[in-house]
Amino acid sequence: MKSFKIKNKLSGLLLFLTVALSSCSDFLEVTPTGKTVTPTAFSDIKGIRSAMAGSYYTMFKFYSGIYYAYPDLAANMVSLSTTASPASLALYNYEIDELGAGYWGTLYEALVNINNIIEYQPALLSKYPDSKTELESIKAQALFLRALSHFELCKIYGQPYNYTSDASHLGVPIELIAPNFDHKPARSSVKDVYTQIIKDLKDAEVLFGSSSIGTGANTKYTVTKEAVYGLLSRVYLYMEDWENTIKYAGYVIDKVPLAKGNDYVAMYRQLDNKETEIVFRFNGSKNQGVTLKTLFNLTYKTEKDGVVTPVVPSATVDNLLLSLFNPNTQSSDIRYNSIIEKVTSGSSVYYVTNKFNVPDNDPAYAHFNPIILRSSEMYLNRAEAYLNENDLTNAATDVKAIIARALNKNVADVTVTETNKAELKRIIENERAKELCFEGHQLYDITRRKQDMVRSTTTSSLIQKITYPNDLFLKPIPQRELDINPNMVGNPTVNR
C-alpha cells in the first residue's frame, strides 16, 4: 500500500497549508509552504473560478480511486482474486491500515480550497457586483462540496448516525476555515457533523434561488440545485428522517427522469454529458480511474484466429448479487444483461460489471466519471422512507418504477406486495443492491440498517461475517494526525 503512504504525507490538518495557482493546470494545488499567496489568488474572478475547478478535480481524484470501490470491497457482493492489487485485498480482508488509506488527507485537502472559496467570495461579490449570479452559484457549489466532504469523512471514520440514540458518538473534525499551525481540531459528534452538512446544503439551496440548475450549470459535471436536493435526501435517509427523505427525493424525481433502454447503458459507457438520469457526477481526464477499471472491468484481446477472448478479471460478482436476480426475468433485466457480464474461461465462470467499461477510440484517453447522484437512488430512498412511515402503497409504487424500467415494462404490469411489510422491505433492499451495486453504497447501507456483513461461503476472504456493531466497519484515524494533534483521538480496535 505504498501509494496510500505517499498521499498521506499531506494528511495532517496542522500543516500550514497554502493555496497557489498552478500555471500548468489552472487548478489550485495545496503546498505546505505558507499562506501569503492566497489573498492574491482570490483577488479576481479568474482566481475563484480556478479554485472551483481545483476543488472539483481533487474530489474527482478521491472518487475515481479505490474509495469508490471500498464500500463494495468491504461488503458482501464481490469475490476478489488473490491476484488483485494489495490495496484492494487489504480492504477486502479488513486489514488495518493505520494511515487511513489516504481518504482523510484527500478530503481535507479538498476542504482547504473549498473553504477559501467560501471565505473570499463575499469580498469578490462586493468588488464585482455585476457578477453576483455567477459568484453566488460558485459559493453554492462550494457549500455542496463541503457538505459532501464532511459526509464522506463521517461515514468512513465514524459509526452510522443511528449508532447511538442521540448521535453523540465521535465523528470527524468540522473544517470551516483553512488550517494553520495553531489549529488543533477535535472530533465533533456525528450529530454536529450532520447538522453542519444540512446547514451547508440549505445555504446552497438559498444561493441557487429559484433556478433549477444554477448559472451555467447545463452539465452533469456541475453542482446544481437538484444535486443539493439529492444529497439532502441521502443525508436524511442516513438520519432516518423519513419525512425529509421523501420531500427532497421527490424534488429530484420531479425534475430528473429515469433512463430507459439504451439510455440506461449509455450513462455508464458514453459519457457524452447527456446522461438522462444523472443528477451529478465528477468529470475525469485521460487515464484517470484506472484503479476501478482494472478492478471491475472486462477487457479483451484479439487472438491470431480473430476470436475475441476475455482476459480473466481480477474481481467477480459474488453469488449474493446473482441470487438477487430472478432466474425467470434475469435475461430481460437490463442490469443483468447489459451491466453484468458472464465470462467463461476454461472451466471457470466469472461475472464482471461494465459500469466502468468506457470505450474510447484512443486508449490513452480512457477514463471513468464517477456517479455521485442519480434519480434511481431517489426512488429507492423514497421507497425505503415510505416503508418506514408505514405507507406501503407508495413504497411499492416507487420500487415498481425501478423494476419496471429494468424489465422494460409498464409500472402497471409489475406486481409487488403492498400488504406484507417484511416482504416489501426485502424487495426494496434487494432492488437497491441490484441497482446501486459498485457505486459506493453497499457497506454503508448494511451498517445504517444495523445489519451484519455476511459474505457467501465461497468467498476467497478469511472474513466471511462481521457482526453489527463492530469497530472494523471504521477506518483508523491517520497516525500522523494523532501524533501532531493532542486533541485528536483514534478509533477503537483499528487504531492500535
Side-chain angles (χ1 to χ4, degrees), residues 185-449:
R187 296 174 67 178
S188 297
S189 70
V190 169
K191 181 179 181 179
D192 286 347
V193 177
Y194 273 65
T195 297
Q196 182 63 47
I197 290 168
I198 291 171
K199 181 183 184 304
D200 280 345
L201 292 173
K202 293 291 186 66
D203 288 347
E205 177 190 9
V206 171
L207 286 169
F208 276 130
S210 60
S211 171
S212 173
I213 60 173
T215 304
N218 58 349
T219 169
K220 305 295 183 179
Y221 304 116
T222 304
V223 172
T224 63
K225 197 170 185 178
E226 282 73 34
V228 171
Y229 290 151
L231 187 54
L232 277 168
S233 175
R234 186 186 296 176
V235 171
Y236 281 124
L237 180 76
Y238 278 58
M239 296 174 67
E240 299 183 338
D241 182 337
W242 311 124
E243 181 180 354
N244 277 312
T245 302
I246 292 166
K247 173 184 174 180
Y248 287 101
Y251 288 159
V252 179
I253 289 168
D254 288 345
K255 293 287 187 179
V256 186
L258 292 174
K260 298 181 180 179
N262 292 334
D263 287 341
Y264 183 80
V265 180
M267 74 175 167
Y268 296 109
R269 308 206 59 193
Q270 292 185 7
L271 309 185
D272 57 3
N273 200 28
K274 299 177 182 179
E275 303 93 312
T276 304
E277 73 169 56
I278 299 298
V279 178
F280 176 62
R281 76 192 312 169
F282 286 107
N283 190 15
S285 56
K286 65 178 182 178
N287 279 324
Q288 295 289 334
V290 174
T291 299
L292 293 170
K293 290 171 63 181
T294 302
L295 183 62
F296 288 128
N297 259 12
L298 176 65
T299 55
Y300 296 98
K301 62 179 179 180
T302 303
E303 304 292 352
K304 291 181 179 179
D305 58 4
V307 176
V308 178
T309 306
V311 176
V312 176
S314 61
T316 63
V317 179
D318 203 356
N319 295 335
L320 175 67
L321 181 56
L322 295 178
S323 70
L324 299 180
F325 288 97
N326 186 332
N328 296 323
T329 60
Q330 66 184 23
S331 62
S332 58
D333 191 318
I334 194 169
R335 298 167 301 188
Y336 183 89
N337 60 39
S338 296
I339 302 300
I340 294 175
E341 189 162 348
K342 180 179 180 180
V343 182
T344 302
S345 178
S347 60
S348 299
V349 176
Y350 299 86
Y351 293 87
V352 295
T353 178
N354 278 318
K355 284 189 174 183
F356 309 105
N357 194 7
V358 182
D360 197 295
N361 292 331
D362 184 352
Y365 285 86
H367 61 286
F368 160 64
N369 294 344
I371 296 171
I372 306 303
L373 294 159
R374 58 188 180 98
S375 54
S376 289
E377 182 198 344
M378 299 301 109
Y379 278 91
L380 292 161
N381 289 354
R382 195 169 70 173
E384 186 176 334
Y386 276 135
L387 181 79
N388 283 284
E389 289 280 271
N390 292 312
D391 186 347
L392 273 58
T393 299
N394 276 322
T397 298
D398 276 344
V399 79
K400 283 195 291 186
I402 298 299
I403 296 171
R405 186 270 305 278
L407 301 179
N408 195 28
K409 291 183 175 183
N410 295 319
V411 174
D413 296 328
V414 176
T415 302
V416 170
T417 178
E418 298 183 19
T419 58
N420 186 325
K421 185 174 182 180
E423 175 62 13
L424 186 53
K425 178 177 183 290
R426 183 191 67 81
I427 292 170
I428 291 171
E429 289 184 6
N430 286 356
E431 288 302 314
R432 189 175 182 91
K434 286 188 285 187
E435 185 63 42
L436 301 179
C437 62
F438 313 118
E439 294 181 40
H441 295 272
Q442 184 66 359
L443 179 66
Y444 303 128
D445 284 338
I446 290 171
T447 56
R448 68 178 177 81
R449 293 178 188 141

